């Protein structure tokens, strides 16, 4: 299997709420001292790919569309044992809408080789729009499966398990296919060994200038952000009182029961 | 064209999400001054056809044996065909996995725009659809304008008010004659539904939820007993699901279930923005957490700062005693 995993670099989504600000001019989160990290679902995707390779052999290429800083994301992926890495260098990558991103990724994928499975994260931890995977599939003219948690190969066909609202489904797929990966208990990203982190800096990394992909600029934008604000909605929490734990549990139980008894 | 198309799966019947999509579609069509078309894919369900025709202008029934169980590749072909002939201004879908998966693909085929998880729809001057949703894991509210037509949006369906039947109205019902692609290279071959007693998490009036603070799968059994004492369902944070303590379908939050219970009791959950996003519509949030500085207290109506292990059995017993029959 020849696998391509798309990795997006984002602002650390775990910054504490009290440090979160929006820049009204730029209409995006203020970076401040927050780190840039690999989007977690992209890491889940890489882990899923590594497991597929461990079980069935294969080649994993990782691809990112980003600024120079996105090299970190690719080095980390190489340390996790991806085989090859490519960066589409684009200083405007962070402003790209999902269709532009999908076009860039599709053109880069064509340039890099022919892939059986192309993986993306289900959505990014910043804007969380989650449209890139489906658009990428359409750009490449192949099927798309969302919310995948596991893949297997059976006589040249893929068996792809995905989450539904009530359980799971298994797809039988003749490659190629684009899939979006969601988190599951089976794809928590592995921690690279220190030795592999060191080695990752000596591995080659292909850089493609976005201009070299010869994309025709689209005349209109896919969508436009017209408003962004941070809601103020903290409430005052009443901590139940009592002289001892038993009394506090009792008071808590009464508050719960009051609501529970009206819903019956 | 000012018409709106809503896409419904017959297998879901007239459930809350379906009602939300119909309500959103009805109000949007009334705003644009267009007609509301509803396509129902799957084995024809008379109750759903009837209920939809009382609220929509046109009901299109797409019933073929191949469509009785969901096959995204076939659904996409059906929807693309309908949209090409109707040329709607907007196409609305629900929040299930098929809707999420089809939205960008359909938009691409129609050269439109798409958006996920819409919480409110408005129409800008000039006619473009605007979609309100959250960003940055629930830390911000964003409004997007979708310039290209059609605007294809999957909705946070249960958050939209249902529509009342229109007085003295019965929409037309048409059975579509559809052609399906002969071969597809991605096909759902097996389906597994998790056994779960009680009502779905999204429909529960009371939810008791556990997180990393529980420390393992066993305490979820205690949570289940507590839930049983008040007739609640059990949910979880992502950490509890990722650890494998409970199934992934129990996850509440940005990438899990978005729920709107009367009471959400969070035990051993810190209240990360992404988790809070799933309970933004909960009426009352109550907390048991050993850390008084856990962010979730800032969103709770009442709480107990304590190690859950010292609270649970006694609380369950007390609740069983207080329950009215
Ligand atoms: C893109 C993205 C999407 C995400 N989507 C989701 C989502 O859908 N749902 C979700 O839940 N998370 C989601 N997350 C993860 C989220 O950011 C948090 O990591 C997660 O919610 C934390 O889970 P938790 O509260 O169980 O664990 P923690 O944050 O570790 O909190 C555990 C809490 O338990 C308390 N505790 C510990 N021991 C005890 C005890 N003995 N008694 C009582 N209390 C105790 C602690 O004080 C602490 O407050 C997402 C993250 C990203 C980046």
């Amino acid at each position: 299997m020849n696998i391509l995993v798309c990795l997006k670099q984002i602002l650390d989504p775990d910054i504490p709420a009290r440090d979160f600000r929006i820049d009204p001019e730029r209409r995006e989160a203020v970076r401040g001292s927050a780190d840039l990290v690999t989007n977690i679902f992209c890491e889940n995707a890489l882990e899923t790919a590594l497991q597929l390779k461990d079980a069935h052999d294969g080649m994993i290429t990782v691809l990112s569309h980003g600024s120079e800083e996105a090299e970190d994301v690719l080095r980390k992926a190489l340390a996790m044992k991806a085989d090859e890495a490519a960066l589409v260098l684009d200083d405007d990558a962070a402003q790209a809408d999902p269709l532009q991103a999908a076009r860039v990724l599709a053109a880069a994928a064509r340039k890099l080789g022919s892939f059986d499975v192309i993986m993306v994260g289900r959505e990014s931890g910043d804007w969380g729009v989650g449209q890139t995977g489906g658009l990428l599939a359409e750009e490449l003219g192949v099927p798309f499966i969302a919310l995948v948690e596991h893949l297997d190969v059976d006589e040249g066909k893929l068996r792809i398990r995905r989450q539904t609202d009530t359980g799971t489904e298994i797809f039988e797929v003749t490659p190629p296919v684009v899939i979006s990966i969601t988190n599951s208990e089976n794809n928590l990203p592995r921690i690279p060994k220190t030795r592999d982190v060191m080695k990752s800096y000596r591995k080659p990394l292909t850089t493609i200038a976005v201009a070299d992909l010869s994309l025709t600029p689209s005349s209109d934008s896919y969508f436009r952000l017209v408003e962004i604000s941070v809601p103020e909605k903290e409430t005052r929490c009443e901590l139940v009182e009592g002289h001892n734990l038993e009394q506090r549990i009792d008071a808590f139980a009464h508050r719960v029961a009051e609501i529970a008894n009206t819903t019956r | 064209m000012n018409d709106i198309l809503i896409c419904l799966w017959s297998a879901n019947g007239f459930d809350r999400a379906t009602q939300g999509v119909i309500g959103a579609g009805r109000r949007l069509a009334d705003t644009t001054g267009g007609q509301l078309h509803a396509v129902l894919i799957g084995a024809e369900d008379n109750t759903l056809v009837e209920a939809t025709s009382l609220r929509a202008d046109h009901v299109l029934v797409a019933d073929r044996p191949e469509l009785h169980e969901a096959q995204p590749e076939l659904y996409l072909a059906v929807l693309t065909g309908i949209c090409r002939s109707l040329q709607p201004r907007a196409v609305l879908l629900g929040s299930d996995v098929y809707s999420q998966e089809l939205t960008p693909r359909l938009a691409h085929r129609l050269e439109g725009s798409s958006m996920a998880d819409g919480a409110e729809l408005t129409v800008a001057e000039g006619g473009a659809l605007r979609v309100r949703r959250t960003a940055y894991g629930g830390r911000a509210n964003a409004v997007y304008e979708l310039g290209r037509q059609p605007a294809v949006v999957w909705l946070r369906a249960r958050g939209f008010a249902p529509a009342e039947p229109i007085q003295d109205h019965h929409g037309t019902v048409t059975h579509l004659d559809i052609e399906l692609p002969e071969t597809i290279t991605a096909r759902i071959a097996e389906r597994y539904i998790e056994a779960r007693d009680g009502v779905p998490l999204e429909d529960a009036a009371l939810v008791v939820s556990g997180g990393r603070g529980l420390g393992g799968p066993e305490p979820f059994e205690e949570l289940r007993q507590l839930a049983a004492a008040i007739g609640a369902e059990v949910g979880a944070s992502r950490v509890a699901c990722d650890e494998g303590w409970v199934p992934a379908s129990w996850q509440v939050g940005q990438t899990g279930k978005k729920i709107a219970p009367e009471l959400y009791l969070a035990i051993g959950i810190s209240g990360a923005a992404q988790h809070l996003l799933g309970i933004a519509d909960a009426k009352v949030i109550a907390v048991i957490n050993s850390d008084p500085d856990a962010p979730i207290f800032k969103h709770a109506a009442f709480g107990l700062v304590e190690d859950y292990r010292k609270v649970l059995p006694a609380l369950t017993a007390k609740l069983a005693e207080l329950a009215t029959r």
Side-chain angles (χ1 to χ4, degrees):
Chain A
M1 286 284 149
N2 221 350
I3 309 163
L4 181 69
V5 183
C6 303
L7 302 172
K8 184 180 179 185
Q9 188 176 48
I10 61 166
L11 193 68
D12 186 353
D14 292 334
I15 35 175
R18 61 175 180 277
D19 297 337
F20 183 81
R21 307 264 182 293
I22 291 287
D23 180 334
E25 296 278 297
R26 298 172 60 91
R27 290 212 177 116
E28 61 182 27
V30 175
R31 179 165 165 190
S33 57
D35 290 329
L36 296 177
V37 298
T38 312
N39 179 35
I40 178 65
F41 300 112
C42 300
E43 288 203 325
N44 294 135
L46 178 56
E47 176 61 37
T48 308
L50 289 163
Q51 288 176 14
L52 183 67
K53 182 185 161 177
D54 291 345
H56 298 281
D57 249 18
M59 255 302 271
I60 300 175
T61 305
V62 287
L63 168 65
S64 191
H65 170 218
S67 67
E68 268 170 12
E69 287 175 292
E71 184 180 330
D72 294 348
V73 161
L74 296 170
R75 293 285 172 208
K76 185 173 181 200
L78 288 169
M80 284 168 78
K81 290 287 177 67
D83 300 291
E84 289 186 353
L87 172 61
V88 178
L89 202 53
D90 179 359
D91 286 335
D92 298 328
Q95 275 72 48
D97 67 39
L99 183 58
Q100 286 164 343
R103 285 188 176 144
V104 168
L105 295 172
R110 287 206 182 92
K111 207 178 172 92
L112 290 168
S114 110
F115 297 98
D116 302 300
V117 185
I118 297 175
M119 299 188 186
V120 299
R122 62 176 286 169
E123 62 193 65
S124 63
D126 47 11
W127 296 104
V129 171
Q131 302 300 287
T132 309
L135 294 172
L136 175 59
E138 290 298 311
E139 285 291 321
L140 294 169
V142 305
F144 172 64
I145 303 172
L147 310 191
V148 171
E149 57 170 28
H150 185 75
L151 294 85
D152 231 328
V153 184
D154 186 19
E155 293 174 5
K157 281 205 171 192
L158 288 160
R159 282 173 59 82
I160 299 181
R161 186 172 76 228
R162 69 104 158 262
Q163 295 176 4
T164 67
D165 300 305
T166 51
T168 54
E169 287 172 345
I170 306 226
F171 280 75
E172 274 176 13
V173 179
T174 310
V177 64
V178 175
I179 60 180
S180 81
I181 303 286
T182 191
N183 59 296
S184 88
E185 58 177 296
N186 302 312
N187 63 15
L188 288 177
R190 61 192 66 183
I191 311 290
K193 297 194 189 78
T194 318
R195 187 169 48 101
D196 292 329
V197 174
M198 311 288 280
K199 272 204 220 156
S200 75
Y201 284 88
R202 293 197 294 274
K203 288 198 182 165
L205 190 145
T206 309
T207 305
I208 306 170
V210 71
D212 290 345
L213 292 174
S214 326
L215 295 165
T216 37
S218 50
S219 51
D220 49 359
S221 60
Y222 198 67
F223 49 56
R224 200 165 59 85
L225 180 68
V226 291
E227 239 179 84
I228 182 155
S229 60
V230 179
E232 288 290 334
K233 54 163 187 233
E234 289 185 2
T235 56
R236 225 187 57 81
C237 178
E238 188 191 317
L239 298 179
V240 291
E241 288 178 13
H243 293 297
N244 53 35
L245 180 58
E246 194 189 329
Q247 284 183 0
R248 290 190 293 135
I249 291 176
D250 196 78
F252 193 85
H254 274 92
R255 297 285 307 260
V256 171
E258 200 183 308
I259 302 170
N261 288 338
T262 59
T263 63
R264 277 164 207 265
Chain B
M1 283 288 267
N2 289 325
D3 288 6
I4 309 299
L5 175 71
I6 54 177
C7 309
L8 306 172
W9 321 138
S10 298
N12 293 354
F14 193 55
D15 69 359
R16 181 64 185 83
T18 300
Q19 294 177 37
V21 177
I22 297 173
R26 181 70 265 166
R27 287 185 294 276
L28 188 59
D30 291 345
T31 309
T32 60
Q35 306 244 300
L36 178 64
H37 306 258
V39 53
L40 314 183
I41 305 187
E44 183 168 359
D45 170 346
N46 290 327
T47 320
L48 176 63
V49 173
E50 181 64 17
T52 310
S53 68
L54 298 177
R55 295 162 173 86
D57 301 298
H58 307 286
V59 179
L60 311 169
V61 181
D63 179 358
R64 291 242 321 229
E66 299 91 320
L67 301 172
H68 286 188
E69 291 202 319
Q71 286 299 349
E73 297 302 314
L74 299 181
Y75 280 26
L76 180 60
V78 170
L79 293 177
T80 308
I82 293 170
C83 288
R84 291 218 165 108
S85 70
L86 278 179
Q87 304 275 323
R89 162 92 68 93
V91 183
L92 307 179
L93 299 95
S95 20
D96 55 274
V97 64
Y98 310 116
S99 296
Q100 293 191 25
E101 179 172 77
L102 291 167
T103 293
R105 302 183 73 190
L106 187 59
H108 192 282
R109 290 191 183 193
L110 303 168
E111 293 177 24
S113 300
S114 64
M115 187 44 81
D117 204 22
E120 190 186 317
L121 305 174
T122 50
V123 179
E125 259 173 67
L129 186 70
R130 288 191 169 183
V131 183
R132 189 173 64 75
R133 67 190 308 273
T134 54
Y136 292 107
R139 290 185 172 93
N141 282 326
V143 177
Y144 287 90
E145 188 166 304
L146 277 56
R148 303 163 23 133
Q149 286 194 19
V152 185
V153 185
W154 70 262
L155 303 172
R156 187 174 300 185
R158 287 160 194 272
F160 284 82
E164 292 298 319
I166 306 166
Q167 284 245 301
D168 304 321
H169 165 90
H170 208 283
T172 64
V173 177
T174 312
H175 290 83
L176 297 174
D177 197 10
I178 32 185
E179 273 183 52
L180 295 174
E182 270 167 25
T183 55
I184 52 175
T185 58
R187 168 180 298 280
I188 301 176
E190 295 162 32
R191 292 161 212 272
Y192 300 95
I193 312 264
E194 270 154 19
R196 187 182 174 108
D197 319 323
V199 299
L201 207 49
E202 299 96 320
D203 296 331
L206 305 167
V207 174
V208 176
S209 202
R212 186 186 339 241
L214 294 194
E218 299 82 15
F220 271 91
E221 177 53 29
E222 282 181 66
L223 236 60
R224 212 188 50 72
Q225 287 165 14
L226 186 149
I230 54 172
E233 297 300 321
V234 183
S237 75
R238 188 172 93 177
V239 173
C241 299
D242 282 355
E243 290 290 336
W245 301 342
V246 296
S249 61
W250 293 25
Q251 183 180 319
V252 172
Q254 179 188 357
T255 48
K257 301 260 150 77
K258 281 143 191 145
I259 59 178
E262 298 295 318
L263 173 71
Y264 185 76
L265 173 50
I267 305 180
I269 293 178
S270 65
Q274 297 90 351
H275 185 80
L276 295 172
L277 176 47
I279 49 171
D281 295 328
K283 292 265 165 42
V284 175
I285 296 173
V287 174
I288 301 172
N289 195 306
S290 48
D291 175 8
D293 295 326
I296 192 151
F297 281 113
K298 294 211 173 79
H299 301 263
F302 63 99
L304 179 57
V305 180
E306 193 59 69
D307 186 332
Y308 83 90
R309 287 168 292 195
K310 295 196 193 138
V311 176
L312 268 199
L315 178 62
T316 304
K318 190 76 205 171
L319 285 171
E321 187 188 311
L322 292 173
T324 52
R325 306 283 137 209

